[in-house]
Amino acid sequence: MAAGIDDITIYIPRLYIDAADFAKARGLDPEKLQKGLGVSQMAIVDTNQDPACLAANACLQIMQKNKLSPEDIGRLYVSTESSFDESKAMNSYVIGMLEQVYGQGAFEHCGGVETKFACVSGSYALYDNTNWIRAGEAEGKHALVVVSDIAKYDMGSSGEMTQGAGAVVMLLNDEPRLLAFDPKVTATSIKDEYDFYRPFGKETPIVHGQYSNLLYMIQVRKALEIYKKKALASGLMKLEPGETILDHMDYLNMHLPYSNMGKKALAYLVRHEWRQLPRWKKIIQEMGIPEPVPKDPRGTIESVLGDEEFMAKDHEFTKLFTKTREFQEVYEAKLASSLIASKMIGNLYTASLYLGFRSCLEFEYQKGIDLNGKRIGFGSYGSGSSAMVFSGTIQPQYEEIVKNMNLEAELAPRRKLTLQEYEILHENKLSPEESMLHTKREFVLVDVNTTVESRGERRYIFNE
Ligand code: HMG
């Protein structure tokens, strides 16, 4: 039975900071953000928004757009790492908000949980819900998987230039118009790590930035190895001499903590895959420098990062490699379109990969390409750490959905924050009623109870 993504909707907060303003205020070269990281704007939440509101707004949009009623939805999963309760799951808040529109008890039999594993948890939720459909348990109902996050780092930290906020919701069913997942190829890797984590009670994460960059690439590569074995064993792909598995993916959508991480990861995976192929010799000859090897090739991530000579040479090699015609062709054809939205919005943690998927569909369609039957490979990564590699094919009815995608229009109208306003918001100096914007027909947070007996209870309304 086919199962996959029937439709996708995004909800992005309407406030943002501009990368150039931000760089100026922090004494950084704006080029570091714009060219080095690929960050142009970062979406910021208002005082009356939390990840549950973002998720509920996305859900309401997709339900209204598809004229779905609550009885049509069998499961609603929320994946997030911006959770504000250790026990009450975020889908419960989302259902509470949706029932303000659809009537109390309307979602009474809609099962679901909140899932957590940093940025990768949405991919696990998609996989589990796809299998719920494949198993025949859905009985004609749909599943909603919402990925919603506020990527917030300490002020003055190196992570601060990679913030963002938003939610993406995907409607899953057994007749998906957009993308059917390839069966029996989903592959994972997992390792107990501390590259990025957020201890209880802390609003922002503790981050080992360069360590996390390298770990992301290693973990995704390990998952790709297993994907490859499964894809060949299941007959999904057959490699001719000189081919790699990546040649059989028309697009690659990567987790995007900042848009250039997608390019870094692609270069890493392509190098790994091409190294054993005849085409690599030619590329090395053209580049005119040998591929560097660390002093201890079997060493730890720390030993590789500590090998300064290798790191410098590898950086130079990567830069040269990404300029080769061979890499540029892969980059432009398979990845570049997925990075556009991330540049304009920033990191969405769990939602970043799926914002990239949405971006890939819209901007590839705009090129006039017929997307029917194209295979998309997904590289999902979550700190702490786990990666998931899986794939799917675009379905014949995709155009029905994709032709109406318009990122610019969906983001508008946005309001640019001054750095002073941003810092006030960042430090939580304002209460929900002091919001910067007064939005209509959206769920907003009204208050968070501070009394001893009801501490933490949240009240939301739908702004008519
Ligand atoms: P940094 O260490 O300050 O930056 O912070 P850098 O020195 O690595 O520079 C960044 C890039 O800008 C480099 O490009 C520089 O060369 C370039 P690259 O060499 O890598 O291609 N650059 C310039 N370019 C033009 N003009 C200039 C200039 N200066 C430098 N003047 C870092 C970067 C990502 C470490 C930091 O922002 C950070 O800690 N971010 C948060 C952690 C993160 O995003 N990690 C990514 C992988 S882990 C992950 O994805 C999981 C995550 O989403 C969480 C989860 O799973 O929940 C984060």
Side-chain angles (χ1 to χ4, degrees):
M1 182 193 284
I5 304 174
D6 185 65
D7 198 0
I8 183 168
T9 297
I10 58 173
Y11 176 85
I12 306 297
R14 310 247 174 260
L15 301 176
Y16 74 95
I17 42 173
D18 187 78
D21 298 348
F22 176 84
K24 198 168 154 215
R26 296 284 176 272
L28 297 167
D29 181 351
E31 295 283 284
K32 175 169 178 176
L33 276 83
Q34 277 155 359
K35 293 230 168 83
L37 295 165
V39 175
S40 297
Q41 286 117 21
M42 294 182 261
I44 302 289
V45 280
D46 209 334
T47 59
N48 60 358
Q49 293 184 308
D50 68 9
C53 299
L54 307 183
N57 284 321
C59 286
L60 183 64
Q61 274 183 39
I62 207 165
M63 286 187 65
Q64 289 181 335
K65 179 180 166 211
N66 289 284
K67 299 190 174 52
L68 292 168
S69 64
E71 304 84 68
D72 298 320
I73 312 296
R75 312 227 302 189
L76 194 159
Y77 271 46
V78 181
S79 303
T80 186
E81 58 178 298
S82 316
S83 200
F84 41 71
D85 194 287
E86 309 298 355
S87 170
K88 187 172 150 86
M90 203 176 285
N91 54 311
S92 160
Y93 297 85
V94 172
I95 280 174
M97 281 182 254
L98 292 173
E99 288 192 348
Q100 291 188 29
V101 173
Y102 290 100
Q104 218 175 4
F107 286 84
E108 198 167 22
H109 301 293
C110 177
V113 289
E114 173 189 315
T115 70
K116 174 170 73 182
F117 201 135
C119 299
V120 75
S121 63
S123 304
Y124 280 98
L126 271 185
Y127 181 60
D128 291 355
N129 280 286
T130 301
N131 287 328
W132 172 71
I133 294 164
R134 284 179 180 143
E137 293 276 328
E139 295 174 335
K141 294 198 179 210
H142 308 253
L144 287 177
V145 173
V146 203
V147 275
S148 178
D149 267 308
I150 298 171
K152 179 170 180 175
Y153 292 84
D154 285 335
M155 216 141 75
S157 69
S158 66
E160 197 193 5
M161 51 195 173
T162 62
Q163 299 185 114
V168 175
V169 59
M170 285 160 284
L171 180 70
L172 307 188
N173 61 32
D174 59 5
E175 287 184 332
R177 285 168 294 174
L178 270 184
L179 181 110
F181 288 116
D182 293 325
K184 299 195 164 102
V185 289
T186 298
T188 58
S189 68
I190 190 159
K191 189 161 183 270
D192 178 9
E193 284 279 3
Y194 276 104
D195 56 326
F196 167 113
Y197 60 105
R198 186 167 69 86
F200 281 162
K202 195 171 180 312
E203 198 195 11
T204 49
I206 295 171
V207 192
H208 305 294
Q210 296 303 341
Y211 189 92
S212 71
N213 279 344
L214 186 54
L215 186 62
Y216 165 131
M217 296 190 284
I218 292 172
Q219 290 295 69
V220 174
R221 177 177 62 69
K222 285 185 175 168
L224 182 68
E225 287 297 328
I226 304 301
Y227 172 91
K228 194 190 314 187
K229 283 197 180 123
K230 289 184 168 202
L232 297 178
S234 69
L236 182 76
M237 292 174 191
K238 194 171 165 294
L239 294 188
E240 298 297 334
E243 279 187 347
T244 135
I245 206 90
L246 300 178
D247 298 334
H248 292 259
M249 289 177 178
D250 299 294
Y251 296 106
L252 275 153
N253 288 177
M254 305 300 300
H255 167 53
L256 301 174
Y258 49 93
S259 79
N260 278 7
M261 186 68 217
K263 190 172 185 183
K264 252 183 190 315
L266 180 71
Y268 186 88
L269 296 178
V270 166
R271 265 171 77 178
H272 182 76
E273 285 297 308
W274 287 4
R275 201 172 281 142
Q276 316 303 333
L277 305 179
R279 67 182 94 162
W280 191 239
K281 265 200 190 124
K282 196 172 143 260
I283 293 170
I284 293 286
Q285 264 170 10
E286 277 168 18
M287 285 171 63
I289 57 168
E291 189 173 18
V293 182
K295 277 193 198 99
D296 179 4
R298 295 191 164 271
T300 59
I301 296 179
E302 284 94 341
S303 75
V304 172
L305 290 172
D307 185 345
E308 283 176 21
E309 193 187 332
F310 165 74
M311 288 305 289
K313 281 189 176 159
D314 196 63
H315 189 250
E316 186 195 351
F317 182 88
T318 307
K319 285 267 164 241
L320 260 182
F321 174 58
T322 52
K323 291 197 173 90
T324 60
R325 183 185 48 80
E326 290 85 347
F327 178 79
Q328 276 297 321
E329 272 173 20
V330 174
Y331 170 75
E332 285 300 334
K334 299 189 189 217
L335 184 82
S337 290
S338 70
L339 309 183
I340 297 171
S342 168
K343 285 183 199 183
M344 298 158 73
I345 296 166
N347 192 2
L348 306 187
Y349 287 158
T350 50
S352 294
L353 172 62
Y354 300 101
L355 180 69
F357 167 57
R358 177 29 249 246
S359 181
C360 168
L361 293 173
E362 178 173 341
F363 296 105
E364 284 300 296
Y365 179 71
Q366 278 183 17
K367 287 182 188 167
I369 294 175
D370 179 8
L371 299 177
N372 185 16
K374 300 274 190 224
R375 172 160 289 122
I376 302 191
F378 293 84
S380 188
Y381 175 72
S383 288
S385 71
S386 177
M388 193 182 245
V389 172
F390 51 100
S391 59
T393 41
I394 299 183
Q395 298 298 291
Q397 282 170 286
Y398 79 92
E399 213 171 344
E400 233 179 84
I401 310 285
V402 178
K403 67 171 193 254
N404 297 319
M405 288 181 172
N406 186 338
L407 186 65
E408 288 268 0
E410 282 172 58
L411 288 181
R414 286 171 113 190
R415 184 179 144 202
K416 186 168 104 159
L417 292 167
T418 64
L419 251 289
Q420 199 191 8
E421 286 172 326
Y422 154 70
E423 288 184 0
I424 289 171
L425 288 175
H426 188 283
E427 297 305 290
N428 305 321
K429 289 196 175 142
L430 300 175
S431 60
E433 71 264 23
E434 295 171 286
S435 64
M436 304 256 167
L437 297 175
H438 300 282
T439 51
K440 287 257 179 313
R441 305 201 60 73
E442 287 191 358
F443 296 108
V444 288
L445 177 69
V446 180
D447 59 42
V448 184
N449 199 310
T450 51
T451 63
V452 176
E453 61 281 11
S454 302
R455 191 180 143 202
E457 269 189 26
R458 287 174 183 244
R459 208 156 53 84
Y460 301 92
I461 53 160
F462 185 64
N463 259 343
E464 287 292 350

